[in-house]
Amino acid sequence: MTTRHYDAIVIGAGHNGLVTANYLARFGKSVLVLEARGVVGGAAVTEELIPGAKWSSCAFIADMIRPEIVADLELRKFGFHMYSPATMGFAMFRDGRHLFLHKRVADTVREIRKHSRADARNFVEWGARLRRFGDYMRPWLLSAPPSRAQIRAEFERNRELDLYRDFFESSTRDLIGGFFENDLIKGFLTFYGMVSVFAGPSTPGTSYVFGHHSSGDFDGEFGVWGFVRGGMGGFTQALADSARHYGVTIRTSARVARVLTKDGRVTGVALDTGEEFTTGVVASNADPVRSVLGLLDPADLDPGLRARIANIDQRGSMARIHLLIDELPAYLGLPAGLGPQHLGHQMLGASVENFEKAWRAEQAGVLAEDYAIEAVIQSATDPTLAPRGLHTLTLGVQQLPGELATEGGWAAAKESWADLIVDRLCDYAPNLKAHILDRHVITPKDLEDEWSLSGGNIFHAAMFDDQLFSGRPVPELAEYATPIEGYYLCGAGTHPGGGVMGASGHNAAYRILQDQALAKLDPPAHIPRARFTDRVAMNRLGRRLAYEVARQPVFDSLLGRITRIPLPGPTPFPSTLDRSDTV
């Protein structure tokens, strides 16, 4: 057994853990990051799952990475690069009906108008309301978690309680159904409320899940998402390289078995090999149940708190099927060869009723006969991921049981279920049957066993009413600190929750620094009044004017400027630290 001392130790080299390590290092702390897997990145990782090609194993779309963190940690100096395709969404039903959603608002409005003039008119108002919801959420992302009462008070102060009710108390079905009538647009949008939830479209509260996933921004442009060059691992590799540059030590294949304590405070960690490290600060990027009940001695915590932590709702899982193909999907009624349908987020069979049926199966612990399938072919826009002539196709399926009630569970059902999903895919692109070279399947059980995600939940804890903000994951742990002095949580199970954004890691680092009187975590901010343009668009009397502006190509550049969000500059760190541009 060997020992070495560090100022802080981070458990888990997922993106939040690496963010925490980066901020601590920039305040002069010696930091050790311990990762159980053989590669950094956690669920935000790029891996060669099939020889010769690379995939984003779990998370693959970057719509939430906080630009403040990118600026603070100078990630572009370390190779981080994002880009956004011109066509971001493509929805298709089995009868060949399809819909494109474009990066430019005006293009999307004109596309929706082909299917429904009423929906096209409503889309501008819808976008304004969604952006206004984003205005409320954004200041709280990098702050101490507010209470629900604080949040409601801000909506009430701005006389927007109807917006609060829409995004906090409604179901996804009611939220979207209040604006749109076309099944393609309703199905596509409903997906974002079904991400890693144990719920269906009619479940109250899923409207918040929808808003959490769809009110992000890319390079200051609201409602736009992007890919990370080289796959999602390009983000975590940049974080790791930045951390190493500032002196952080990162060890992979190093599984933490226990957090060591004495007299109610942290003293170090022990690996499953018996190796120990001493420290006065440990930040765990694992989910809260695993972090507390799995790594601490049971005697360290009050039995009542242990029981409340054991009852944290971690239901809601998903799966990935990664395919290596030698021909792009020729979707029904569309020409063969590379087209806009291959560039962005493809949604196949995403109807509200399909999601409802999947929810009924999820509750019973069984597999549904059909699922909405999301597909991404990042190699179509990033040729570094696959050899010439080949492509990487990732399929995603939500609303899956973490544990199957059928005999043998996921181990027995894994390949037959993947066969079913691939067969469903070929209903939309029949040519693919003869062009799939290999596949790699990741089930909810794989997420739990390989990525240490309890229940296969990528958010570490369900993102519903009582597990949000100052209740996330339970009130006693909501401020990132635990009852054990020096032991903190920095993963997605803390505020503001799941998604690849790094906010939980940022906030945990600042809570640690605050406890050491070195920095301060910002309090929740007051929300400004809505922009004039949004007030017009959210007013039904002004909706037609906004729609007429949106559908005219001459106003495209104006709309782009209106939808931009001011980007922050980097945080000034202590001047004694090395701020060299040399990497």
Side-chain angles (χ1 to χ4, degrees), residues 309-510:
I309 294 171
N311 286 329
I312 291 173
D313 185 358
Q314 294 185 294
R315 296 172 299 175
S317 193
M318 44 149 262
R320 296 280 186 253
I321 302 174
H322 300 288
L323 303 175
L324 183 63
I325 57 178
D326 62 5
E327 185 172 288
L328 288 168
Y331 289 118
L332 297 172
L334 293 172
L338 181 64
Q341 64 271 23
H342 302 119
L343 302 183
H345 198 195
Q346 300 148 57
M347 204 71 66
L348 309 174
S351 70
V352 176
E353 290 310 312
N354 226 2
F355 287 118
E356 294 285 14
K357 291 176 182 176
W359 166 225
R360 289 194 287 271
E362 187 180 20
Q363 293 175 88
V366 299
L367 296 171
E369 295 180 358
D370 192 14
Y371 284 97
I373 302 171
E374 54 175 328
V376 165
I377 310 171
Q378 191 177 348
S379 59
T381 54
D382 184 351
T384 67
L385 297 174
R388 187 177 180 87
L390 302 182
H391 282 286
T392 58
L393 169 57
T394 293
L395 307 179
V397 176
Q398 301 290 337
Q399 295 176 287
L400 293 170
E403 294 282 353
L404 286 176
T406 52
E407 185 176 355
W410 274 110
K414 181 174 184 174
E415 296 303 329
S416 60
W417 174 79
D419 289 340
L420 169 70
I421 298 302
V422 171
D423 285 345
R424 294 290 180 266
L425 167 68
C426 292
D427 290 343
Y428 302 92
N431 70 306
L432 280 180
K433 275 191 178 293
H435 294 281
I436 298 173
L437 305 181
D438 205 346
R439 78 183 184 194
H440 183 94
V441 183
I442 299 173
T443 69
K445 188 62 175 170
D446 295 323
L447 291 175
E448 181 168 80
D449 294 344
E450 175 68 16
W451 279 270
S452 300
L453 296 167
S454 297
N457 190 310
I458 59 173
F459 298 153
H460 292 188
M463 295 194 63
F464 280 107
D465 185 48
D466 59 347
Q467 289 186 178
L468 296 172
F469 310 112
S470 61
R472 187 167 183 83
V474 293
E476 294 92 334
L477 305 178
E479 298 274 354
Y480 311 99
T482 73
I484 304 301
E485 185 179 348
Y487 190 35
Y488 299 84
L489 304 181
C490 66
T494 62
H495 170 75
V500 181
M501 58 177 148
S504 292
H506 166 280
N507 296 352
Y510 272 90

Side-chain angles (χ1 to χ4, degrees), residues 90 115 117 119 136 141-142 191 239 241 258 277 374 386 412 468 516 553:
F90 169 70
H115 299 269
R117 291 192 176 191
D119 286 0
Y136 278 93
L141 295 178
L142 301 180
F191 166 82
L239 285 168
D241 290 344
R258 288 178 298 136
F277 303 92
E374 54 175 328
L468 296 172
Q516 297 179 8

Side-chain angles (χ1 to χ4, degrees), residues 88-93 99-101 176 182-193 210 225 344-352 355:
M88 296 194 302
F90 169 70
M92 172 169 269
F93 286 160
L99 170 75
F100 289 102
L101 298 174
I176 295 168
N182 181 265
D183 288 343
L184 279 165
I185 186 67
K186 287 198 296 185
F188 186 94
L189 293 175
T190 296
F191 166 82
Y192 296 99
F210 172 88
W225 58 263
H345 198 195
Q346 300 148 57
M347 204 71 66
L348 309 174
S351 70
V352 176
F355 287 118

Side-chain angles (χ1 to χ4, degrees), residues 211-233:
H212 180 78
H213 281 94
S214 52
S215 58
D217 57 90
F218 169 78
D219 195 26
E221 192 168 353
F222 173 78
V224 176
W225 58 263
F227 290 118
V228 178
R229 184 75 66 192
M232 192 61 83

Side-chain angles (χ1 to χ4, degrees), residues 203 282 364:
T203 305
V282 174

Side-chain angles (χ1 to χ4, degrees), residues 74-384:
E74 306 165 295
L75 296 185
R76 290 185 176 87
K77 293 183 182 180
F78 298 91
F80 175 68
H81 175 72
M82 285 179 62
Y83 64 95
S84 182
T87 300
M88 296 194 302
F90 169 70
M92 172 169 269
F93 286 160
R94 278 195 181 84
D95 59 10
R97 285 182 294 148
H98 61 271
L99 170 75
F100 289 102
L101 298 174
H102 301 287
K103 184 176 180 179
R104 296 197 310 179
V105 174
D107 291 341
T108 297
V109 168
R110 290 190 283 268
E111 173 72 13
I112 293 175
R113 191 170 185 268
K114 298 175 185 177
H115 299 269
S116 168
R117 291 192 176 191
D119 286 0
R121 287 193 297 270
N122 288 343
F123 186 79
V124 178
E125 180 186 355
W126 164 260
R129 292 180 68 81
L130 183 58
R131 185 168 72 163
R132 182 58 178 155
F133 174 73
D135 287 344
Y136 278 93
M137 296 298 104
R138 201 171 301 110
W140 286 318
L141 295 178
L142 301 180
S143 77
S147 68
R148 283 294 290 270
Q150 282 178 287
I151 292 171
R152 193 180 191 283
E154 285 296 301
F155 281 86
E156 188 170 16
R157 185 176 66 86
N158 286 312
R159 300 180 181 179
E160 293 180 300
L161 277 176
D162 59 330
L163 196 67
Y164 176 88
R165 286 188 285 268
D166 279 349
F167 283 96
F168 282 93
E169 298 175 354
S170 182
S171 69
T172 299
R173 185 171 195 148
D174 288 343
L175 175 70
I176 295 168
F179 284 85
F180 302 108
E181 61 184 17
N182 181 265
D183 288 343
L184 279 165
I185 186 67
K186 287 198 296 185
F188 186 94
L189 293 175
T190 296
F191 166 82
Y192 296 99
M194 299 296 101
V195 178
S196 205
V197 297
F198 187 74
S202 300
T203 305
T206 50
S207 57
Y208 177 80
V209 180
F210 172 88
H212 180 78
H213 281 94
S214 52
S215 58
D217 57 90
F218 169 78
D219 195 26
E221 192 168 353
F222 173 78
V224 176
W225 58 263
F227 290 118
V228 178
R229 184 75 66 192
M232 192 61 83
F235 178 47
T236 46
Q237 285 299 322
L239 285 168
D241 290 344
S242 176
R244 291 187 183 103
H245 180 70
Y246 282 89
V248 175
T249 299
I250 301 174
R251 285 187 50 177
T252 56
S253 301
R255 183 177 295 276
V256 173
R258 288 178 298 136
V259 173
L260 307 176
T261 64
K262 184 178 180 181
D263 298 327
R265 69 160 293 114
V266 159
T267 60
V269 301
L271 303 185
D272 58 3
T273 60
E275 189 175 4
E276 294 185 0
F277 303 92
T278 62
T279 186
V281 172
V282 174
S284 177
N285 189 35
D287 68 73
V289 176
R290 193 177 297 261
S291 296
V292 179
L293 303 189
L295 297 180
L296 289 175
D297 188 303
D300 285 336
L301 290 178
D302 172 76
L305 176 57
R306 285 181 58 84
R308 288 190 290 279
I309 294 171
N311 286 329
I312 291 173
D313 185 358
Q314 294 185 294
R315 296 172 299 175
S317 193
M318 44 149 262
R320 296 280 186 253
I321 302 174
H322 300 288
L323 303 175
L324 183 63
I325 57 178
D326 62 5
E327 185 172 288
L328 288 168
Y331 289 118
L332 297 172
L334 293 172
L338 181 64
Q341 64 271 23
H342 302 119
L343 302 183
H345 198 195
Q346 300 148 57
M347 204 71 66
L348 309 174
S351 70
V352 176
E353 290 310 312
N354 226 2
F355 287 118
E356 294 285 14
K357 291 176 182 176
W359 166 225
R360 289 194 287 271
E362 187 180 20
Q363 293 175 88
V366 299
L367 296 171
E369 295 180 358
D370 192 14
Y371 284 97
I373 302 171
E374 54 175 328
V376 165
I377 310 171
Q378 191 177 348
S379 59
T381 54
D382 184 351
T384 67

